[in-house]
Amino acid sequence: MKIAIIGAGAAGLMAAITAKRLNKNLKIDIFDINKAIGKKILASGNGRCNISNSQITSKNYIGENPEFVNDALKQFSFKDFERFCKSIGLLLDIKETCKVYPLSNEAKSVTNLLESTINALDIKLILDTKVTDIQKEGESFTIHSNEKTFTNYDKVVVSCGLGAAPQLNATEMGMDFAQKFGHSSNLTYPSLVGLHTNYEQPSRIQGVKKEAHVSLYIDGNKEAEISGDVLFTKYGVSGFAILDISQYAVYPLSLYQDVQIAINLFPNLNRNELLGMVESLFKSLPNEKALMLLTGLVSNKLAPVILEGAKIDKEAKASEVNAKQIRSIINNLINWRFKVTDTQGFKHAEASGGGVRTDEVDSKTYESKKCKGLYFAGEVLDIVGNRGGFNLHFAWASGYLAGKTISK
Ligand SMILES: Cc1cc2nc3c(=O)[nH]c(=O)nc-3n(C[C@H](O)[C@H](O)[C@H](O)COP(=O)(O)OP(=O)(O)OC[C@H]3O[C@@H](n4cnc5c(N)ncnc54)[C@H](O)[C@@H]3O)c2cc1C
């Protein structure tokens, strides 16, 4: 039996290794545009590769039907992944946060060991080759690339990801291939990405990072809240809390809904505690500039912005700030509102939301419900995970199930 796998990322490599280990008689070809395998594995976790997570449920995934991941997570849990890693010689470092990294702390170890396993199993890598079309005549698939045609495949796995990080040659061609065989896709959008805001003077606070609690409002209703770093940037906001909350902000934004974030810079204090602290500070040092006193609370760069937001002159002394203005300062410190206007786009996104609709794919086998012998795995499907190793785990787990099925 001859198998074509489109995409040498986590999903495609796992599908190939699993299938060949279960059935030595398979002839497997893996195609990729890139000259080397696993470009996104190498980019992940800032080159350290947050490869999985030891606590995974379907709640960590977003899509039209997040429950779709359940079969893959059941059949390929974190423990199974750990066993797989051992089998290729990869040791893992499981952090207290449940995030999992290679013990070497280097993504390169992951791709090296995967490639060595692929070679040992005599799986053929057809790299530097962009698949342009997939055709089926009778029971047999043909793969077209720009230069060559590859024939007589019994099964094809489409594991070519989606468009996040186009600089790594990411494409959305998987959805075109799917469409050819009668599949539909949900709108794609950048996920785990920085957000542009309507804030007018961002350069003044550019580079400031603060632990905060972020709430997301869609058309005035609170839809999500997350704690973590917020980084003020040239274009708006980034940092882990923003990347996390972007997963719930970007789709409504694409539907032109009103998307706002509220940043609480003092999540561990309630409003009255903070009000009491600022009031007594201003009372005890009446001749000190209000601006100077604020720099004892927030960073030098944020203080003038907070003061300005409360419409207080930067030269004003503490004694000249009235009760209403102090309440306004507090409001800016704990409920600093920004309207989200755009995202940093696919180029800066860690993942893509949307993709091939999961109700047209069998969640147990990853075979297309529209075309026998066609399979999907990984990010090309309408499943996107939270930050923390969940996207790679879904790629491994879905690749495993597809691989298991095609081996038969
Ligand atoms: C900067 C960055 C950091 C990330 N960090 C993390 C992290 O720490 N943890 C985590 O879990 N996830 C992370 N992710 C997300 C994770 O890398 C992906 O979700 C995962 O790699 C998807 O795997 P995949 O196999 O489905 O697709 P991909 O890895 O995208 O593989 C698909 C392959 O198919 C190739 N391809 C596309 N079209 C064609 C075609 N027409 N012909 C031939 N080849 C084609 C692509 O070039 C690619 O090599 C990160 C992503 C990025 C961009």
Side-chain angles (χ1 to χ4, degrees):
M1 192 159 51
K2 201 173 156 193
I3 287 164
I5 295 182
I6 321 298
L13 296 168
M14 176 60 92
I17 293 171
T18 304
K20 190 76 194 245
R21 278 178 170 177
L22 291 169
N23 182 350
K24 294 274 179 282
N25 295 323
L26 296 181
K27 185 179 174 323
I28 303 180
D29 293 342
I30 309 181
F31 296 84
D32 203 288
I33 304 176
N34 288 314
K35 289 186 176 141
I37 65 162
K39 280 280 177 193
K40 279 200 188 166
I41 299 173
L42 287 171
S44 66
N46 282 326
R48 290 167 59 216
C49 191
N50 180 191
I51 196 170
S52 181
N53 193 293
S54 61
Q55 289 286 324
I56 308 180
T57 72
S58 63
K59 290 198 172 62
N60 299 112
Y61 294 93
I62 298 163
E64 190 177 32
N65 173 25
E67 303 294 315
F68 179 82
V69 303
N70 280 339
D71 288 312
L73 298 186
K74 222 178 275 165
Q75 286 210 44
F76 197 76
S77 65
F78 172 66
K79 285 281 159 217
D80 296 310
F81 177 64
E82 222 179 356
R83 265 193 292 277
F84 169 81
C85 289
K86 240 186 215 160
S87 79
I88 64 166
L90 183 70
L91 298 182
L92 299 176
D93 181 12
I94 306 169
K95 303 283 186 198
E96 266 175 32
T97 56
C98 299
K99 287 184 186 176
V100 179
Y101 294 85
L103 195 59
S104 65
N105 223 13
E106 270 185 18
K108 191 74 183 134
S109 330
V110 183
T111 51
N112 279 349
L113 288 164
L114 284 169
E115 187 155 9
S116 161
T117 309
I118 290 280
N119 291 335
L121 286 167
D122 206 17
I123 294 165
K124 191 166 168 195
L125 288 171
I126 304 177
L127 301 175
D128 205 6
T129 302
K130 181 179 185 171
V131 173
T132 51
D133 196 11
I134 305 172
Q135 285 176 336
K136 189 178 186 195
E137 255 179 59
E139 296 293 295
S140 172
F141 290 91
T142 300
I143 307 294
H144 295 273
S145 79
N146 281 335
E147 283 140 30
K148 260 178 105 177
T149 298
F150 303 81
T151 55
N152 292 326
Y153 291 99
D154 302 289
K155 291 172 181 173
V156 174
V157 181
V158 175
S159 53
C160 49
L162 284 175
Q167 64 279 19
L168 302 176
N169 281 333
T171 79
E172 291 202 335
M173 292 176 78
M175 293 193 298
D176 302 334
F177 302 146
Q179 193 184 10
K180 237 197 116 164
F181 293 99
H183 282 267
S184 49
S185 296
N186 286 326
L187 186 73
T188 58
Y189 57 92
S191 193
L192 298 173
V193 67
L195 299 174
H196 290 216
T197 63
N198 65 341
Y199 186 54
E200 278 171 11
Q201 293 142 313
S203 59
R204 290 173 58 180
I205 53 173
Q206 197 178 319
V208 174
K209 199 186 220 181
K210 177 98 175 69
E211 178 79 18
H213 189 76
V214 184
S215 304
L216 175 75
Y217 293 86
I218 310 291
D219 288 339
N221 301 316
K222 196 195 265 190
E223 293 290 339
E225 48 189 331
I226 279 166
S227 291
D229 284 343
V230 172
L231 174 68
F232 293 90
T233 63
K234 199 170 176 182
Y235 54 82
V237 279
S238 186
F240 290 147
I242 299 297
L243 296 188
D244 288 342
I245 217 148
S246 76
Q247 297 208 288
Y248 308 95
V250 182
Y251 187 64
L253 198 62
S254 69
L255 300 178
Y256 303 104
Q257 290 180 274
D258 179 51
V259 180
Q260 295 198 14
I261 49 171
I263 298 178
N264 181 352
L265 298 171
F266 291 90
N268 299 324
L269 294 173
N270 69 36
R271 176 183 286 269
N272 286 339
E273 279 169 338
L274 195 62
L275 182 65
M277 276 168 64
V278 174
E279 276 175 345
S280 75
L281 191 66
F282 277 37
K283 250 188 211 141
S284 63
L285 294 162
N287 293 322
E288 188 58 270
K289 277 190 188 171
L291 176 60
M292 196 51 69
L293 293 180
L294 271 188
T295 58
L297 270 176
V298 289
S299 92
N300 279 325
K301 285 184 177 175
L302 281 182
V305 176
I306 298 287
L307 206 68
E308 207 173 275
K311 299 197 167 41
I312 300 167
D313 190 280
K314 63 179 189 313
E315 298 299 328
K317 288 186 182 160
S319 59
E320 292 161 358
V321 177
N322 64 36
K324 193 174 163 206
Q325 288 172 318
I326 291 187
R327 278 200 300 277
S328 184
I329 291 176
I330 302 304
N331 210 38
N332 282 339
L333 292 174
I334 66 173
N335 185 26
W336 198 4
R337 288 272 188 150
F338 299 92
K339 188 174 165 62
V340 177
T341 54
D342 203 352
T343 77
Q344 273 286 76
F346 283 106
K347 190 169 178 200
H348 300 277
E350 282 191 15
S352 281
V356 175
R357 289 188 59 190
T358 48
D359 60 349
E360 295 170 356
V361 176
D362 186 325
S363 67
K364 290 192 165 64
T365 61
Y366 281 71
E367 186 168 13
S368 156
K369 290 181 183 171
K370 305 270 179 186
C371 172
K372 199 168 171 294
L374 183 70
Y375 298 77
F376 294 93
E379 201 171 311
V380 69
L381 289 161
D382 178 16
I383 289 290
V384 63
N386 296 153
R387 199 175 46 82
F390 301 104
N391 279 306
L392 275 170
H393 191 88
F394 177 65
W396 306 122
S398 56
Y400 171 80
L401 275 202
K404 199 172 141 187
T405 321
I406 56 175
S407 71
K408 289 173 190 152

